[in-house]
Amino acid sequence: MLGAPSLETPVSKPNKNYLNASYSIFSWLFTTDHKRIAWLYLLTISLFAAIGGAAAMLLRWELLTPEADLMFADIFNRLFTGHGTTMVYLFLIPAMLGVLGNFLIPLMIGARNMAFPRLNLITWYIFVVGAMSTILVAANGGVDTGWTFYTPYSTTFTVTDVSTTILLTVISMLAMILLAINIVFTIHRQRVKGLTWSRLPILVWAYYVTSIVMIVGAPFGFIATVLQALERAAQVGIVDPTYGGNPLLYEQLFWLFAHSAVYIMILPAIGIVSEIIAAFTKKRLFGHKGIVYAMFALAVLMLFSWGSHLFASDQSVFANLMFSTASFLTAVPLAVILLSWAASLKHGENIISAPMLFALVVILSLLKSIISGLVLSSPVTGSYLSGTQYGTAHFHFLVVGVATASFLAAVHFWWPKATGRMYSQKWAKITALTVLVGVFMAFAPGCLLGLAGMRARINAYPVEFQFLNQVALMGALILGLGFTLPVLYLLGSLFVGEKVGPNPWRAKGLEWQTLSPPHERNFHGRAIIVEEAYAYPPQTS
Ligand code: HEM
């Protein structure tokens, strides 16, 4: 069975590696090893994913019946606000940058560590302080404004503690900016000799673009938050019409950041799937360079399409035209990426492995998102569907079907490298198919409900919408199972999993030239063969 691991170098006694270098709690809490910091992030974001996931299940449960019978509207509002902010700021963005970016980038460029190892650790602590406090505020009642914190409701009318919540999310986002800066400096400064820019793997390019988007986009979120907190504290009349301010200023700044946040979650997914397809088709990707250019094009178009979230906010015709055109154009680089993947799969060896099946979830969800995104890119249908379940469903295909599934694909692909152990292929493949069914069953009904006019953010609705909401709940439960199973068999593999050598997938990449798990100093005492890196044979037509 080709997908099965191959014991290239039988491992008798455990080699000294970053996991067994020291077992003291202090060696973890004060580590500057990027690989250990990635595990610290993994533990932290797993907690928040569980909290955000539990909130999602409660929301779905409430939406099972047309009546508001499980909770009052106020609780429902606090729950979806808590779910949204937790999943975006405390789970998915730190999962992509903090877990995967941290663990993989130095290994993939032949480096011993991040450019600023101590800053890397401090960044995790900043994130934890911001994140834990956010959860404490949520436990103390949370806020009921929605994750968008629109004014004037969040500045004048809500009685909930908006100021603390938004300032705490800023702290955890500040940590992500510092991490993004660290990643950019690492790619510029720490590359092994001979690993030129033209030789960089697609995933490293994806993180390069993602980090720049983070550094450019996040300050707009900071400004929006500071203006909001200032308005709440001193009623200066900037973003609240009650005091002569303009709420559109806040919305424009918020979406300048939030729109980039979506790309921060999906750009790494493009890199992850590209690496997995190359590794299992055993061929250099079709249009390798085209995918890199497409990611840069996406980042540029993102900067001109944030206003597609504001078609219903009385923007000028010219503004709608500009934002709509840029939004429609994002489908072009996405299509280039999908076509390159399809051509590579068509011409390459086809190894059905667990990482490949998770990659399939990403590919199908991205295809679905391109189509549903086109409908939202027109000011006509976009303003009609704004605030309906259609927008929420489209968003979830991106953050769950594309980003979260790609995170799982990455964890399954690089787990043998990170732990030196292989997990049950059978259960992993079952899980990937469970996630595929779960994503489409949980979120496709939302597209139909939105087209039929069901609003988002309501916990009571006309009875004719009940059946599709019941299907969505079933899907959410299947998805919940799909996210729980990996926790069991991956943890199990640490104790009973088959021990693997440096390169169980026979993939090309500098990370596979290290031991599994790698030495504390990565390539310690091992020659780095740069020519070998990513030297997949070219595609033959
Ligand atoms: C297990 C998967 C998930 C399920 C079942 C789920 C379910 C839901 C539901 C039912 C809502 C409320 C929709 C409404 O307004 O009626 C919601 C809102 C939302 N979800 Fe999720 N979600 C999931 C994962 C995620 C992830 C991974 C993210 C982001 C990274 C996310 C971000 C959001 C956001 C931002 C909102 C909007 C909250 C607001 O309106 O303020 N969700 N989700």
Side-chain angles (χ1 to χ4, degrees):
M1 190 170 68
L2 275 178
S6 65
L7 292 177
E8 282 191 9
T9 50
V11 176
S12 52
K13 63 179 181 47
N15 57 307
K16 199 105 191 89
N17 58 60
Y18 78 99
L19 290 172
N20 64 16
S22 159
Y23 292 105
S24 80
I25 184 76
F26 289 105
S27 73
W28 279 90
L29 291 179
F30 296 109
T31 180
T32 55
D33 177 351
H34 67 100
K35 302 178 291 301
R36 282 191 165 205
I37 295 175
W39 278 95
L40 294 176
Y41 273 107
L42 182 63
L43 289 178
T44 329
I45 58 115
S46 302
L47 168 71
F48 299 130
I51 294 172
M57 292 308 160
L58 280 174
L59 289 167
R60 274 278 133 231
W61 212 270
E62 166 60 272
L63 291 167
L64 176 64
T65 59
E67 304 79 29
D69 43 13
L70 198 66
M71 58 187 90
F72 298 110
D74 174 45
I75 305 295
F76 188 79
N77 295 349
R78 292 170 193 237
L79 209 54
F80 67 62
T81 309
H83 162 76
T85 43
T86 304
M87 283 299 211
V88 172
Y89 299 124
L90 309 185
F91 161 55
L92 204 47
I93 292 180
M96 288 303 198
L97 291 176
V99 181
L100 298 179
N102 234 323
F103 188 89
L104 293 172
I105 298 299
L107 286 172
M108 293 180 98
I109 62 172
R112 194 181 300 161
N113 207 333
M114 295 287 268
F116 311 115
R118 274 189 289 276
L119 172 70
N120 200 13
L121 178 65
I122 295 166
T123 304
W124 178 69
Y125 279 106
I126 295 174
F127 170 67
V128 167
V129 168
M132 288 302 179
S133 330
T134 310
I135 293 298
L136 282 179
V137 171
N140 194 17
V143 291
D144 62 355
T145 60
W147 84 294
T148 48
F149 298 100
Y150 276 1
T151 62
Y153 182 72
S154 58
T155 39
T156 302
F157 300 107
T158 180
V159 292
T160 54
D161 186 4
V162 169
S163 303
T164 317
T165 306
I166 53 177
L167 287 177
L168 291 174
T169 30
V170 160
I171 293 175
S172 33
M173 277 305 103
L174 176 69
M176 291 303 111
I177 276 204
L178 292 173
L179 185 51
I181 293 169
N182 212 336
I183 289 174
V184 170
F185 272 84
T186 303
I187 296 172
H188 273 274
R189 287 206 193 151
Q190 311 289 96
R191 277 175 291 122
V192 66
K193 202 160 171 297
L195 191 68
T196 54
W197 289 95
S198 62
R199 272 199 162 139
L200 278 185
I202 293 184
L203 185 78
V204 175
W205 276 116
Y207 271 91
Y208 188 72
V209 181
T210 304
S211 301
I212 292 175
V213 168
M214 183 80 204
I215 295 166
V216 171
F220 294 106
F222 290 172
I223 300 168
T225 309
V226 169
L227 292 182
Q228 166 117 212
L230 202 61
E231 194 78 292
R232 283 179 60 84
Q235 293 82 44
V236 281
I238 304 178
V239 290
D240 189 329
T242 325
Y243 316 112
N246 181 351
L248 265 185
L249 171 62
Y250 171 82
E251 292 176 27
Q252 297 283 359
L253 289 168
F254 172 80
W255 281 111
L256 253 166
F257 165 62
H259 194 59
S260 68
V262 175
Y263 285 81
I264 292 163
M265 294 186 265
I266 63 170
L267 280 166
I270 294 166
I272 292 163
V273 172
S274 301
E275 295 295 333
I276 291 174
I277 291 179
F280 289 102
T281 57
K282 304 284 174 228
K283 288 267 172 59
R284 188 175 169 81
L285 280 184
F286 244 102
H288 178 110
K289 275 209 187 104
I291 295 180
V292 175
Y293 295 146
M295 288 193 287
F296 275 97
L298 274 175
V300 173
L301 285 168
M302 170 214 78
L303 274 179
F304 294 98
S305 52
W306 83 85
S308 59
H309 297 270
L310 298 166
F311 287 145
S313 297
D314 194 25
Q315 276 179 153
S316 74
V317 176
F318 174 73
N320 277 353
L321 179 65
M322 183 194 85
F323 290 130
S324 169
T325 310
S327 186
F328 272 119
L329 284 175
T330 55
V332 177
L334 287 172
V336 167
I337 292 164
L338 274 177
L339 290 171
S340 298
W341 289 343
S344 306
L345 287 169
K346 184 163 178 285
H347 292 279
E349 288 176 33
N350 257 326
I351 299 172
I352 303 299
S353 66
M356 272 295 254
L357 286 178
F358 280 107
L360 181 70
V361 180
V362 179
I363 295 170
L364 294 175
S365 302
L366 188 61
L367 187 59
K368 158 73 191 57
S369 307
I370 293 177
I371 299 163
S372 52
L374 289 171
V375 178
L376 290 172
S377 297
S378 142
V380 180
T381 42
S383 48
Y384 165 73
L385 292 169
S386 163
T388 72
Q389 290 286 340
Y390 187 97
T392 308
H394 169 72
F395 175 77
H396 280 87
F397 268 102
L398 284 171
V399 291
V400 181
V402 175
T404 308
S406 76
F407 180 74
L408 286 174
V411 169
H412 284 78
F413 185 52
W414 282 287
W415 182 266
K417 175 51 61 185
T419 63
R421 299 275 183 154
M422 186 52 79
Y423 46 82
S424 156
Q425 288 293 307
K426 188 185 88 195
W427 278 107
K429 290 177 186 170
I430 293 171
T431 304
L433 297 176
T434 308
V435 170
L436 179 63
V437 173
V439 166
F440 279 80
M441 250 180 99
F443 304 120
C447 292
L448 300 174
L449 287 166
L451 289 171
M454 183 178 168
R455 310 289 313 161
R457 295 178 165 178
I458 52 160
N459 64 338
Y461 54 80
V463 66
E464 53 270 24
F465 293 153
Q466 182 167 18
F467 172 69
L468 285 172
N469 275 292
Q470 289 169 333
V471 175
L473 173 63
M474 288 301 295
L477 290 170
I478 294 172
L479 209 44
L481 176 68
F483 291 156
T484 311
L485 285 172
V487 179
L488 304 176
Y489 61 73
L490 290 176
L491 283 183
S493 78
L494 295 177
F495 305 98
V496 296
E498 187 184 339
K499 288 190 176 162
V500 294
N503 195 355
W505 310 119
R506 297 192 212 104
K508 301 270 181 203
L510 293 185
E511 75 273 26
W512 302 107
Q513 294 182 16
T514 64
L515 295 170
S516 297
H519 186 276
E520 212 178 348
R521 298 154 72 91
N522 293 356
F523 297 84
H524 180 70
R526 297 174 73 85
I528 301 177
I529 313 158
V530 174
E531 293 67 33
E532 261 290 300
Y534 316 102
Y536 291 107
Q539 291 284 352
T540 47
S541 52

